[in-house]
Amino acid sequence: MHGELLGIAVAPDGTVAVSPEGDLPGKVTTIAEALAYDRAVRPRWVTWSQETAQRLVSGGARVARCWDIAAVHRMIFGGWRADPGYAWASLRGLPLGKVPDDEPPDLFTSAEESDEPIGADGYLRPEWARGGWARTPGTMLAWTRLALEVAELQRQAAGRSGAGAGAGAAGVIHSESTVELLCAELAADGLPVDRAAATELLAGIVGPRPRDEREAAAIRAERDAVVLKHAPDGATADLRSPVQVRALLAAAGIDVPDTRASRLEEFRDASPLVAALLDWRKAERISTTYGYAWLDSYLGDDGRLRGAWTGCDGGAGRMTASAGLHNMPAVLRRAVIAPDGHVFVRADLGQIEPRVLAAVSGDRALAAATQADDMYLPVAGQLGVSRPAAKVAMIGAMYGQTTGHGGAAARRMRQAYPVAMGYLDEGDLSARNGRDLRTYGGRLVRMTDGGSPAQVAARGRYGRNALIQGAAAELFKMWAVTVRSRGLSLGARIVMCLHDELLVHVPAEHAAAAARLVADCLEETARRWAPRGDVRFIADIGVVTCWADAKG
DNA sequence: ATAAGTACGTA
DNA sequence: CGTACGTACTTATT
């Protein structure tokens, strides 16, 4: 029974239903009892979506593992939409165009109440999916039974499709599911941010917090004036308008097709106007997106910055976060400080993408290079080029156009690592032709057909990138849920996931143990995810009190 | 009001 | 040396 699937549903009021299993009758109970059952039996709870985890977490229950129907649906079928009615129709092979929209109930057409979740047409009744399942204990139990049935159908569909069926993919469906539990916890726990430190940082960059709108406008005008005083006589512009900025630059003799920072950077030294404008943009970004309003919106009184998390982005399958958690300017990490008595274990995967390429392609020669701490060194030696040239060639192969032309390094790359390059070529070709791809872990990456030559080329790049980025995301998530699980006894909590980086909050007395654990979890994950075992994955792991500190 | 375009932050 | 995403602002369209 340990680890067996068991359906669970949590109503908005916190009432829990657990599906029948074997001789056990299903029951309607409390979150506390569900947690006790989780500890005793450790089932794999079948949930319809992250919402269940959110309700469990807000009721104080952090369960060990789950089978998340929406997450598994996205793996098997690709795309983003994964509501119950859509997942059901996909599994039953029903026409998807007729699946009712995932909309709130219409107030004027009273939904017919039925005790049967599946309608005569074979589709899931929309009123059930919209919350009608929580109407009575009986409907709640039926909802959990259906979840269990759907999970079994998904297990079969995954086996047929190849999702989660590859040698290295064992466990990916489970980790992709359990990440939804982690996401609910990340959203509830938040990222520790020291309000005083954040305020001080902001003051240094954009000035003190304005007391009213008039003062804010004055500060903005003053910032603008610093730039405009470098403008040619009489010229002025709204610095927030790219069109006007372009005209202003033209008046100063700088003709550019657009005013992006990357394009203006080359004029920085020659033009005080450009230099001032680029500095202005930095401050403006902080002021508008990551300023006091940002703190007010997302930083709680308890010193935690909270946003919503998703386990996969619908494209290649990376995690996403709102509230700016994934694109916060690096300077603001100075304010991410562990509260008294706690520290962070900060860990990031090193050279994850080329290592992942070695694993997913099965290229023995490239796998051999991963034994080095810096794998670009052996690659450079193999190709007979400098390390920077080797790195550019590798990244170009993974993401850029390599077909046909390319430098000497690119040509030698084909000779030295034919299996890896063949894997990328295959993905590129499939994507160009509009054929769907599957990542190493079995996630379907949907491709469209047709398009102009430029779109076809872009699709090729998208496809080869998705194979690498998607596989790296799978490895990362498996690592993260392993740390989540193994770290419980140390009081370690993941507070940030940033594609290849983990920030783990832990009581100071367990810092060293937690750092070792994070390293051990990577070993364990690598063995499970890439069982051939010839690819080495590395992480830079340090104990810090502030995220901005590389090592503590 | 809503959509598209521009820009920029993270990986 | 490419890809992904989230946020905010301006400009154009409905």
Side-chain angles (χ1 to χ4, degrees):
Chain A
M1 185 144 83
H2 187 93
E4 283 298 300
L5 296 181
L6 198 52
I8 189 169
V10 186
D13 68 358
T15 306
V16 174
V18 176
S19 69
E21 185 197 31
D23 297 335
L24 289 175
K27 63 174 175 178
V28 176
T29 179
T30 62
I31 287 178
E33 274 209 39
L35 180 60
Y37 193 78
D38 182 73
R39 297 272 193 275
V41 181
R42 297 182 57 90
R44 186 172 292 281
W45 299 104
V46 178
T47 55
W48 282 103
S49 73
Q50 193 188 311
E51 189 177 65
T52 305
Q54 289 165 354
R55 288 177 180 168
L56 286 169
V57 168
S58 69
R62 297 184 180 222
V63 300
R65 48 188 151 187
C66 76
W67 179 290
D68 188 279
I69 290 168
V72 176
H73 172 84
R74 291 186 180 114
M75 283 212 66
I76 300 171
F77 295 100
W80 174 249
R81 188 172 171 188
D83 53 277
Y86 197 78
W88 172 259
S90 302
L91 287 165
R92 301 305 302 259
L94 301 169
L96 297 176
K98 292 191 209 153
V99 181
D101 279 344
D102 190 19
E103 278 173 359
D106 184 334
L107 294 173
F108 299 99
T109 54
S110 64
E112 195 179 317
E113 294 187 351
S114 168
D115 287 340
E116 175 50 50
I118 305 303
D121 56 3
Y123 287 93
L124 187 56
R125 292 183 192 278
E127 69 271 18
W128 273 69
R130 288 183 195 130
W133 57 268
R135 205 169 68 242
T136 69
T139 57
M140 287 189 70
L141 286 173
W143 194 236
T144 62
R145 277 196 302 271
L146 184 63
L148 199 54
E149 183 184 342
V150 165
E152 289 297 346
L153 290 171
Q154 287 187 323
R155 177 138 54 194
Q156 293 163 21
R160 285 194 304 273
S161 70
V172 169
I173 280 189
H174 290 171
S175 55
E176 293 288 315
S177 288
T178 300
V179 155
E180 299 295 334
L181 301 176
L182 173 58
C183 285
E185 293 167 6
L186 283 162
D189 290 343
L191 178 70
V193 169
D194 185 297
R195 182 180 296 276
T199 305
E200 200 174 320
L201 263 173
L202 287 179
I205 300 168
V206 298
R209 180 192 280 267
R211 275 166 304 186
D212 51 37
E213 189 42 51
R214 209 183 49 78
E215 202 171 296
I219 291 173
R220 276 199 300 272
E222 196 178 329
R223 251 208 313 272
D224 295 1
V226 172
V227 179
L228 292 171
K229 77 173 186 216
H230 296 288
D233 285 343
T236 186
D238 178 353
L239 298 177
R240 291 154 194 84
S241 164
V243 174
Q244 292 186 39
V245 167
R246 186 166 170 246
L248 176 70
L249 291 170
I254 296 169
D255 191 22
V256 282
D258 62 68
T259 73
R260 294 180 137 80
S262 57
R263 199 178 292 286
L264 295 181
E265 203 55 56
E266 63 173 299
F267 300 100
R268 181 191 269 279
D269 292 338
S271 165
L273 173 62
V274 169
L277 176 65
L278 290 170
D279 292 344
W280 177 92
R281 284 247 179 93
K282 289 268 182 217
E284 183 73 2
R285 166 72 41 183
I286 302 264
S287 174
T288 56
T289 309
Y290 303 101
Y292 300 105
W294 176 65
L295 290 182
D296 294 345
S297 298
Y298 303 115
L299 182 55
D301 291 336
D302 58 354
R304 295 296 182 117
L305 188 71
R306 291 184 176 83
W309 288 76
T310 69
C312 97
D313 59 22
R318 277 182 165 187
M319 297 174 76
T320 68
S322 68
L325 283 161
H326 273 177
N327 36 7
M328 189 177 117
V331 289
L332 297 186
R333 291 180 189 179
R334 189 52 68 195
V336 178
I337 298 169
D340 274 351
H342 289 77
V343 295
F344 295 125
V345 174
R346 195 208 64 85
D348 72 290
L349 299 172
Q351 302 173 337
I352 184 60
E353 288 165 332
R355 288 171 198 271
V356 160
L357 173 60
V360 301
S361 67
D363 190 302
R364 305 277 173 172
L366 195 57
T370 66
Q371 296 310 310
D373 287 352
D374 177 359
M375 70 176 282
Y376 290 122
L377 290 175
V379 169
Q382 193 68 40
L383 302 183
V385 299
S386 70
R387 183 190 178 282
K391 183 174 177 178
V392 166
M394 179 70 74
I395 290 172
M398 284 190 288
Y399 311 130
Q401 28 242 31
T402 56
T403 39
H405 46 286
R411 284 194 300 277
R412 286 178 204 166
M413 186 94 72
R414 300 199 155 270
Q415 295 168 343
Y417 309 112
V419 178
M421 297 304 119
Y423 181 85
L424 293 170
D425 287 344
E426 170 69 28
D428 189 286
L429 184 66
S430 291
R432 282 169 174 265
N433 290 333
R435 289 197 298 272
D436 294 343
L437 303 172
R438 258 186 212 285
T439 64
Y440 177 71
R443 177 182 301 282
L444 187 73
V445 179
R446 280 254 170 81
M447 303 301 307
T448 56
D449 205 353
S452 67
Q455 286 171 325
V456 168
R459 215 160 53 207
R461 289 195 299 273
Y462 172 84
R464 69 170 56 204
N465 177 265
L467 291 177
I468 302 301
Q469 195 182 94
E474 286 151 16
L475 171 69
F476 175 81
K477 284 186 258 186
M478 195 179 278
W479 183 38
V481 298
T482 306
V483 169
R484 169 185 180 268
S485 166
R486 302 277 188 277
L488 272 183
S489 58
L490 296 175
R493 290 269 171 89
I494 297 174
V495 290
M496 171 62 82
C497 294
L498 194 46
H499 308 313
D500 66 356
E501 181 172 9
L502 279 177
L503 200 62
V504 186
H505 181 253
V506 63
E509 65 265 31
H510 294 143
R516 274 197 305 277
L517 178 121
V518 168
D520 292 346
C521 287
L522 179 58
E523 292 282 320
E524 180 184 333
T525 301
R527 276 198 304 277
R528 286 209 296 151
W529 186 75
R532 214 174 42 251
D534 57 351
V535 174
R536 181 167 168 248
F537 292 96
I538 58 171
D540 179 25
I541 301 171
V543 175
V544 296
T545 53
C546 171
W547 193 14
D549 298 330
K551 291 213 167 151

